[in-house]
Amino acid sequence: METIFRSPDTSSVVVGVDGSAPARSAALWAAGEAARRSRPLHVVYGSDSDLRILFQSAEAIERTRAAGRELLDDTVKAVAAECPGLHVTTEFSRADAVTSLRQAAGPHGTIVVGDRGRGGFDSLMLGSVGLNIAAMARAPVVVVRGTDDAEERGSVLVAVRDEHDLMCARYAAREAELRKASLRLLHVWNLLRSVGDVVTMLDGMKEIAGRHEEALRALTGTIRDEFPGLTIAGDAEKSASVAGVLAEASRQADLLVMGGRRAHAPLGLGRNLGRVTHTLLHHAHCPVLFIPRFGSDLGGSA
């Protein structure tokens, strides 16, 4: 039988594995997330055997299938040791990893990947699969980073800009509730983008800062009203490097939640991730939960 498939619950947590240490860490993190949500965990191995069959022998394809099934079994055992009682399903897919994960998650699941793969041609995680998943998926995506240090910090960090990030802030608030953690809304505005010329630097700076702080207060107030049991802080900072501030703040968080507007790339090459999103997916110090945003009416891209 070439494919083992059990349809996951559409709101399940879906994790990709490839045999690398980061993918194993991602699977264990995903198991903890599924347990917090009281949802099943769906473990996916995308073998890409439909493509490999064009240039590999039948024996090599069978070895790939056997290794993939063994990896799925080993992952289930590791998850059971960490989260006994968690409902886990597995999928050996003949499609590539990106396609397999997107199909498994559907529109409502959460996709979890490691921060890098095995390297070389067969690398499956960030850089190939991770970036493509973040750039193309319509479901939330988590890139698991910074989990070598198992110390919990008791804080969820969410990057916000304006009212269009309300959904993202709500998602972060729910994550904080699940973790019994505090929530920090951090609004970082780029000083260089906000200042049009030298003349406005003195006369307009207070007005510019005031607009940013007011947007943050409004968003923070809405979240406080909707989640009265949470400890919530709202901070606004100005910097020439939005990504740098967020990356540094992620050192004190268990999870960084961020949204990102994505536009079609030229020549039909999929979708572009903003520079801030791209940087944080590579350099944050904790797992990054990316909430996709689409359309030209959603404000500046991250």
Side-chain angles (χ1 to χ4, degrees):
M1 185 174 181
E2 294 182 342
T3 303
I4 303 170
F5 181 78
R6 307 178 193 91
S7 296
D9 185 296
T10 56
S11 58
S12 64
V13 178
V14 177
V15 63
V17 295
D18 67 352
S20 68
R24 183 182 178 87
S25 296
L28 295 178
W29 188 94
E33 180 71 6
R36 281 188 291 269
R37 297 184 184 187
S38 299
R39 296 294 185 181
L41 175 68
H42 191 62
V43 185
V44 177
Y45 178 80
S47 67
D48 205 13
S49 58
D50 280 348
L51 177 61
R52 291 172 185 266
I53 200 170
L54 299 177
F55 58 88
Q56 287 188 346
S57 67
E59 292 79 7
I61 294 296
E62 186 53 41
R63 286 196 297 270
T64 297
R65 291 169 178 163
R69 294 178 179 122
E70 182 179 0
L71 174 60
L72 289 171
D73 289 342
D74 290 344
T75 302
V76 170
K77 292 175 183 177
V79 166
E82 292 288 329
C83 299
L86 180 66
H87 181 58
V88 183
T89 58
T90 64
E91 177 183 345
F92 178 92
S93 172
R94 298 183 306 180
D96 64 273
V98 173
T99 301
S100 301
L101 289 168
R102 291 180 65 197
Q103 289 179 345
H108 305 297
T110 297
I111 300 172
V112 181
V113 296
D115 64 341
R116 58 191 182 279
R118 295 174 297 174
F121 181 80
D122 291 328
S123 179
L124 287 183
M125 293 302 160
L126 198 67
S128 56
V129 168
L131 285 179
N132 283 323
I133 284 290
M136 298 171 65
R138 289 187 173 270
V141 177
V142 180
V143 174
V144 177
R145 302 186 50 79
T147 55
D148 293 338
D149 176 9
E151 179 185 357
E152 291 188 0
R153 294 162 178 83
S155 176
V156 171
L157 173 69
V158 57
V160 296
R161 289 158 295 189
D162 51 37
E163 68 277 7
H164 297 299
D165 281 317
L166 178 57
M167 181 185 71
C168 186
R170 285 171 172 154
Y171 209 111
R174 289 195 291 270
E175 289 289 336
E177 280 188 329
L178 290 173
R179 289 170 167 75
K180 297 180 173 56
S182 63
L183 175 66
R184 183 189 183 195
L185 289 82
L186 180 55
H187 173 87
V188 186
W189 52 283
N190 190 315
L191 177 63
L192 299 180
R193 287 188 180 181
S194 299
V195 177
D197 52 52
V198 176
V199 174
T200 64
M201 289 188 68
L202 296 178
D203 296 336
M205 188 60 65
K206 288 185 179 180
E207 180 182 352
I208 293 169
R211 290 200 300 267
H212 286 281
E213 290 169 359
E214 178 57 33
L216 175 64
R217 280 195 296 271
L219 189 56
T220 303
T222 299
I223 296 301
R224 284 196 174 115
D225 290 342
E226 294 182 4
F227 297 87
L230 276 184
T231 299
I232 300 173
D235 297 314
E237 296 187 23
K238 62 179 183 292
S239 174
S241 175
V242 174
V245 172
L246 291 170
E248 186 61 27
S250 72
R251 293 181 184 274
Q252 304 305 318
D254 297 314
L255 180 68
L256 166 61
V257 182
M258 63 181 303
R261 183 180 67 81
R262 302 181 303 188
H264 284 290
L267 303 178
L269 298 177
R271 295 181 179 272
N272 282 331
L273 292 173
R275 285 178 293 178
V276 173
T277 299
H278 194 278
T279 298
L280 291 169
L281 290 177
H282 281 91
H283 299 293
H285 298 280
C286 68
V288 179
L289 172 53
F290 175 72
I291 310 295
R293 303 199 311 178
F294 296 89
S296 59
D297 60 340
L298 296 181
S301 61

